[in-house]
Amino acid sequence: MTIELAVIGGTGVYALGELDDVETHQPLTPYGAPSGPVRVGWYAGKRVAFLARHGEGHSLPPHRINYRANLAALKALGARRVLALNTVGGITERFAPRVLACPDQLIDYTWGRISTICEEPGSPVLHVDFGDPYTPALRQALLRAAVRAGVSVVDGGCYGATQGPRLETRAEIARLRRDGCDLVGMTGMPEAGLARELELDYACLAIVANWAAGAGPDADEVITLQDVLDNVAAAMAGVPPLLRHLLME
Ligand code: HPA
């Protein structure tokens, strides 16, 4: 059965509460095993798959996630559209903690991650177009759903993908700002690039958990995990209505 939408949950998002009649799949892919079980069920009358990117117990740091296996598993189960939920830090003023955003650009600062499916001997070399790293039609569908659901989502912004797992220095965030980044997170790449290679529609719903280092009104603020989790939990209140409207379209 086709899956209308696959959702990949990030830090603080380990399940989709409204998923009914859930079946659990543990697909093995040519790239190995995904981060954990894929839960497939009904959401607003449509088939939806959910995968926790870091594993259900948040056991995988960003650089250890098997991004290829995660996306290949969702594709093997019949997904064609992937909505990535990414917890991020906000750099520029529109992206304060608890904001939801749908970025339209990204810059990749990660290193040492397997970032292509063209690794295996004999696999064709793909030079996919990546000028728009997020699928425009899926972004627009998400933004329309947000309007209908009455959930505010910032349209656009540039996601800077950093290596982690540590947070950034103030100087690193100042550099990202100069580069044009509005948001910073650790899991946006290689996921988006791999989705393009795998011909999956892919969009990001970024959940701003904190001001990035030195970026907020209190430049000396220390970022705590509790603040991050509290802000993600508060911002997540907007996600179920948004998903329902996206699926009802
Ligand atoms: N930096 C990188 N990744 C993040 C942050 C941050 O400040 N907050 C949540 N994920």
Side-chain angles (χ1 to χ4, degrees), residues 87-90 162 166-168 173 184-186 209-213 223 228:
T87 301
V88 297
T162 53
R166 65 166 177 81
L167 298 170
E168 299 71 31
I173 294 301
V184 56
M186 302 173 191
N210 55 276
W211 285 113
I223 301 163
V228 165

Side-chain angles (χ1 to χ4, degrees), residues 105-117:
Q105 277 300 324
L106 67 78
I107 299 179
D108 186 8
Y109 301 91
T110 66
W111 49 270
R113 302 181 182 185
I114 299 176
S115 56
T116 176
I117 57 169

Side-chain angles (χ1 to χ4, degrees), residues 12-94:
V13 188
Y14 305 108
L16 271 190
E18 295 183 26
L19 208 55
D20 287 329
D21 291 335
V22 177
E23 300 160 3
T24 298
H25 297 264
Q26 305 264 12
L28 191 60
T29 77
Y31 311 108
S35 297
V38 182
R39 313 274 182 202
V40 179
W42 296 97
Y43 199 108
K46 302 279 173 55
R47 292 299 273 174
V48 169
F50 178 82
L51 173 63
R53 187 186 282 115
H54 296 271
E56 288 183 342
H58 199 120
S59 51
L60 293 167
H63 63 291
R64 291 255 178 255
I65 291 167
N66 189 339
Y67 295 93
R68 299 195 301 176
N70 286 355
L71 291 167
L74 297 173
K75 183 168 175 170
L77 289 168
R80 293 293 171 266
R81 299 199 299 172
V82 176
L83 178 65
L85 305 181
N86 295 86
T87 301
V88 297
I91 299 176
T92 53
E93 67 273 18
R94 286 195 304 160

Side-chain angles (χ1 to χ4, degrees), residues 113-167:
R113 302 181 182 185
I114 299 176
S115 56
T116 176
I117 57 169
C118 312
E119 279 278 314
E120 283 62 36
S123 64
V125 178
L126 303 171
H127 294 291
V128 291
D129 180 89
F130 202 47
D132 281 319
Y134 304 108
T135 308
L138 185 54
R139 283 192 71 252
Q140 292 308 324
L142 189 69
L143 292 165
R144 283 194 301 275
V147 170
R148 285 200 308 272
V151 174
S152 36
V153 173
V154 176
D155 176 1
C158 180
Y159 178 116
T162 53
Q163 179 70 1
R166 65 166 177 81
L167 298 170

Side-chain angles (χ1 to χ4, degrees), residues 236-249:
M236 276 300 291
V239 173
L242 210 162
L243 279 181
R244 275 197 295 276
H245 280 83
L246 179 62
L247 290 162
M248 271 153 34
E249 189 169 73

